[in-house]
Amino acid sequence: MTDKYAVIGNPIDFSKSPFIHMSFASSTQQDIEYTKILGPLGGFKETVDQFRKAGGRGINITAPFKLDAFQYASKRSPAAELAGAANALSFAGDEVIAENFDGVGLVRDVVHNLKHQLKDKRVLLLGAGGAARGALLPFLYEAPELLVIANRTLSKAQELKRIAEKNQTQQNQVSALPFSALAGMQFDVIFNATSASLRNELPAISATVFGAESLAYELAYAKGLTPFLQLAKSSGVKHLADGVGMLAEQAAEAFSWWRGVRPDTSKVIRELTVPLN
Ligand code: ATR
């Protein structure tokens, strides 16, 4: 029998998840159906209950339901606990297990696809919202020499630093700084995990953070050359990336969690890439 999966969000039209998962299913010969569900605001629980009753095996969650999904679960992975949000659920009888693959997908894209190591590197994380929080532990597992978390609202960066220190397994140096303190500092990898690009805004950072061999990574996807990537490019950075690989890799994590087989992501990344110019 065909197993049912879906992505739920509001809006949901833009979602590439059905395309990605059906492409994975075809390359791994998995018999699944993967649909989009427009979740009514305030109606997450009822909609997912219905999907489970109809035989749904698992679901991906996008905005604005990641917190609802976390609440809905009966069991949560450490990554979901830390992010306080879920981007994938698995249904097994009465049990609902929550996962969050955004951070691990990001790290896999950087290290495996883009071939930029984080180990012993100087890493700058811009932002301290949901996206940055999801990336925190996967970054620390890579053991960077220095992880600077910089945010417009410093207290939120400091909160992330406290969480990092509590969960630290290696001797990494973690700092929380305001944007203004970045002037004169340079990093090997710079992540824009703020939501500034969605409004075509630039976080108020100094161009000194970029070196010619740095990687500038915009977590937003398919926005072309965002103000952050423009600043990196005009500062001489050769390695620019957006979140297309992260999108594909978090999907691959969910797919292998559900189906027990890991799909190759290179084809969907190629097909979904929007040129950075
Ligand atoms: P997400 O889930 O996308 O991370 P979020 O939790 O609302 O969304 O967090 C948005 C992040 O983008 C925050 O770090 C926010 O900074 P503040 O904590 O100071 O609000 C950051 N952000 C949004 N617009 C920004 C801008 N124009 N410049 C700098 N940072 C911005």
Side-chain angles (χ1 to χ4, degrees):
M1 210 182 78
T2 305
D3 289 332
K4 289 186 193 337
Y5 297 87
V7 58
I8 182 168
N10 188 333
I12 197 62
D13 267 356
F14 67 89
S15 175
K16 302 288 183 212
S17 292
F19 168 78
I20 295 173
H21 281 274
M22 291 315 288
S23 169
F24 288 166
S26 140
S27 65
T28 57
Q29 284 98 43
Q30 294 286 304
D31 183 15
I32 70 162
E33 169 193 297
Y34 190 109
T35 53
K36 287 178 195 175
I37 300 178
L38 177 66
L41 297 176
F44 178 83
K45 181 179 179 306
E46 293 68 24
T47 311
V48 177
D49 281 348
Q50 214 175 358
F51 179 65
R52 286 170 67 198
K53 261 196 214 122
R57 299 280 304 271
I59 198 161
N60 282 123
I61 303 96
T62 185
F65 297 122
K66 290 186 181 184
L67 303 183
D68 299 274
F70 180 78
Q71 299 293 345
Y72 185 84
S74 53
K75 227 168 122 182
R76 297 160 183 128
S77 73
E81 285 286 359
L82 184 79
N87 85 331
L89 295 177
S90 175
F91 309 128
D94 285 344
E95 194 150 78
V96 177
I97 307 163
E99 261 293 1
N100 193 317
F101 294 122
D102 288 335
V104 66
L106 170 60
V107 166
R108 189 164 163 103
D109 187 39
V110 171
V111 174
H112 188 260
N113 299 339
L114 302 172
K115 309 267 185 269
H116 280 257
Q117 302 308 310
L118 300 180
K119 185 169 169 47
D120 298 329
K121 299 293 182 191
R122 293 166 60 83
V123 177
L124 173 60
L125 175 60
L126 302 172
R133 197 177 260 257
L136 194 59
L137 273 198
F139 280 0
L140 291 176
Y141 289 147
E142 293 300 306
E145 176 194 299
L146 168 69
L147 174 63
V148 171
I149 307 160
N151 196 43
R152 188 174 57 183
T153 310
L154 180 60
S155 59
K156 285 205 228 159
Q158 288 167 332
E159 168 63 13
L160 252 61
K161 174 177 148 76
R162 272 191 295 277
I163 295 172
E165 283 167 351
K166 245 195 273 165
N167 288 277
Q168 223 160 350
T169 52
Q170 327 250 358
Q171 281 303 320
N172 331 86
Q173 192 192 334
V174 181
S175 304
L177 297 176
F179 290 146
S180 58
L182 298 174
M185 295 180 81
Q186 195 177 92
F187 296 86
D188 299 303
V189 189
I190 303 102
F191 294 95
N192 184 16
T194 74
S195 53
S197 306
L198 305 181
R199 288 181 300 279
N200 216 23
E201 292 168 3
L202 177 68
I205 54 166
S206 154
T208 63
V209 300
F210 301 111
E213 294 305 323
S214 306
L215 168 66
Y217 195 110
E218 171 73 74
L219 269 66
Y221 146 68
K223 301 272 171 224
L225 212 52
T226 60
F228 165 77
L229 291 176
Q230 268 168 34
L231 179 67
K233 192 175 177 186
S234 65
S235 309
V237 174
K238 292 193 287 268
H239 312 290
L240 306 175
D242 76 359
V244 63
M246 175 186 179
L247 176 74
E249 293 299 338
Q250 65 73 32
E253 293 292 324
F255 190 91
S256 42
W257 185 49
W258 289 328
R259 306 303 300 177
V261 44
R262 191 176 171 98
D264 179 58
T265 53
S266 51
K267 181 166 164 282
V268 299
I269 292 176
R270 233 179 9 256
E271 287 172 355
L272 292 176
T273 292
V274 174
L276 294 177
N277 51 37

